[in-house]
Amino acid sequence: MEHVKIVNGNKITSNLVGGQAINGNSVLCLTKSSTAPEIAISFMEIRLSNITNKSTYNKLDQILDEVTDIDDIINDLIIEDNLSTKDFIAKIKRSLKRNKNDSTEKLADKIRKNCKNQLLNNITKRRNKHKKIIEVLLNESKIKKELKSEKPIKLILDNFKPHSSKFISRICKILNIDLIFLPTRSPHLNPIEQVWRLIKAEIRMLYIQNQAHLEQVIMKVFPEKVNEISTDKWVESYIK
C-alpha cells in the first residue's frame, strides 16, 4: 500500500492511495489530501473491498458515506465550539492587559493567533474534528467485533508520518488491519511502486484536460497495471 501524488505535464495533480493485494482485492482510493483523516478513509475503503459478510459490508459502507465530504458538518461543529463575540472580545482584552508590557509586534501576533483559532478554515481544528467523527462513528457502530470474523489484512506500507499516528493505529485495530512498516528509504521493497511507474508512463502519453480527466484515466488504468506487476518474487524475497 502506498500514498502517492501523481502530477502530469500540465501540473494537474491527484492524491491517491493504492493497495496491491497478494491474496485479496486490490484497491485504488482518490483522496483530497495526505492527512490522517483521508488516510483513515482510504483504509476503510481497503477493508470494505475485502469483506465477505454482506451485513458488515453494508454497515461499513454507510459509515464511509457519513465521514466523506462532511465540510458542512465540520463547519457547524467549529461554530458550536467557538466563543461568542462577547466572550472572544473579553478574551482579547484579558490577553492585552496581561501582556501590556509586550511590544506592538508581540501583541499583534497574540491577537492573530487568537483570531486564527476561531476561523472555520483552521486546518488543525478541521482535521481534529474529522478524526473524531470517524473514530466515534466506528466505535458507536460496534463494527470492530464483526470485523474480527473477517480475514485480517496485513498492510505493508512506508513510514509516512500519518501512517504511524496513534489515530491511524486505533482505526486499524477497529478495521482488523495490521500495519507492517518497510525500512526507511526503501521504496524498492514495495512492488506497488512499479504500478505507479506504469501508470505515470501511460499518463505522459496523454493530453490531460483537467483533474477530473486525470482521475478518470487513473481509475481506468490502475486495475490493468496492478495485475501486470507480479508479487510472487517479492513474496519469495521478503516474506520468509
Side-chain angles (χ1 to χ4, degrees):
M1 194 286 304
E2 188 180 37
H3 186 280
V4 67
K5 177 180 284 189
I6 289 184
V7 185
N8 88 317
N10 296 333
K11 304 299 181 183
I12 300 170
T13 65
S14 184
N15 284 291
L16 309 162
V17 171
Q20 183 181 19
I22 294 175
N23 60 344
N25 297 316
S26 297
V27 181
L28 177 67
C29 312
L30 299 174
T31 64
K32 291 182 179 179
S33 65
S34 55
T35 60
E38 291 293 327
I39 290 171
I41 289 172
S42 68
F43 285 4
M44 292 166 69
E45 291 184 11
I46 290 171
R47 177 75 271 182
L48 186 70
S49 296
N50 291 276
I51 287 178
T52 56
N53 184 280
K54 187 175 180 180
S55 174
T56 307
Y57 178 97
N58 290 337
K59 182 180 287 190
L60 184 57
D61 190 37
Q62 182 179 345
I63 296 171
L64 267 168
D65 284 342
E66 293 175 1
V67 300
T68 306
D69 296 325
I70 57 170
D71 284 344
D72 289 343
I73 294 174
I74 293 174
N75 286 345
D76 290 342
L77 291 172
I78 291 175
I79 291 170
E80 186 179 313
D81 285 353
N82 278 352
L83 296 172
S84 67
T85 303
K86 181 180 178 181
D87 289 341
F88 179 63
I89 292 172
K91 182 178 180 180
I92 294 294
K93 287 181 176 178
R94 287 195 301 272
S95 178
L96 292 173
K97 184 177 181 180
R98 187 168 58 250
N99 301 284
K100 61 184 179 182
N101 295 324
D102 285 353
S103 66
T104 304
E105 290 79 8
K106 286 186 177 180
L107 289 174
D109 189 54
K110 286 182 171 64
I111 293 172
R112 180 188 62 80
K113 288 178 180 178
N114 276 290
C115 292
K116 183 181 178 181
N117 194 45
Q118 298 294 304
L119 294 175
L120 282 178
N121 64 355
N122 184 297
I123 294 173
T124 301
K125 288 184 76 170
R126 298 191 71 83
R127 191 177 299 163
N128 288 338
K129 291 294 183 187
H130 201 177
K131 289 195 293 186
K132 185 174 181 180
I133 290 169
I134 291 170
E135 197 163 3
V136 166
L137 286 175
L138 284 171
N139 282 321
E140 287 183 349
S141 72
K142 303 189 186 303
I143 199 171
K144 181 178 180 179
K145 185 177 180 181
E146 296 174 40
L147 288 172
K148 283 290 184 184
S149 302
E150 297 289 334
K151 184 188 295 185
I153 294 175
K154 308 294 182 181
L155 203 58
I156 298 168
L157 67 170
D158 60 26
N159 286 276
F160 182 48
K161 190 174 180 180
H163 292 166
S164 57
S165 69
K166 291 180 180 179
F167 166 71
I168 289 296
S169 177
R170 293 194 299 270
I171 296 301
C172 286
K173 284 180 181 178
I174 295 171
L175 298 175
N176 197 10
I177 294 176
D178 296 326
L179 300 180
I180 302 171
F181 292 99
L182 292 169
T184 304
R185 299 187 186 88
S186 55
H188 59 288
L189 299 183
N190 197 341
I192 201 171
E193 286 285 350
Q194 299 307 313
V195 177
W196 300 132
R197 179 179 59 79
L198 293 175
I199 291 175
K200 290 175 182 178
E202 187 91 7
I203 289 171
R204 278 195 293 270
M205 296 187 293
L206 301 173
Y207 173 71
I208 301 298
Q209 302 169 16
N210 48 44
Q211 186 176 10
H213 183 208
L214 175 62
E215 292 175 352
Q216 183 182 27
V217 171
I218 294 169
M219 294 298 287
K220 178 180 181 295
V221 173
F222 179 83
E224 301 168 2
K225 302 305 179 185
V226 79
N227 292 323
E228 289 183 21
I229 303 298
S230 172
T231 57
D232 294 344
K233 291 183 179 179
W234 181 86
V235 173
E236 292 171 6
S237 299
Y238 300 106
I239 308 297
K240 296 180 180 179

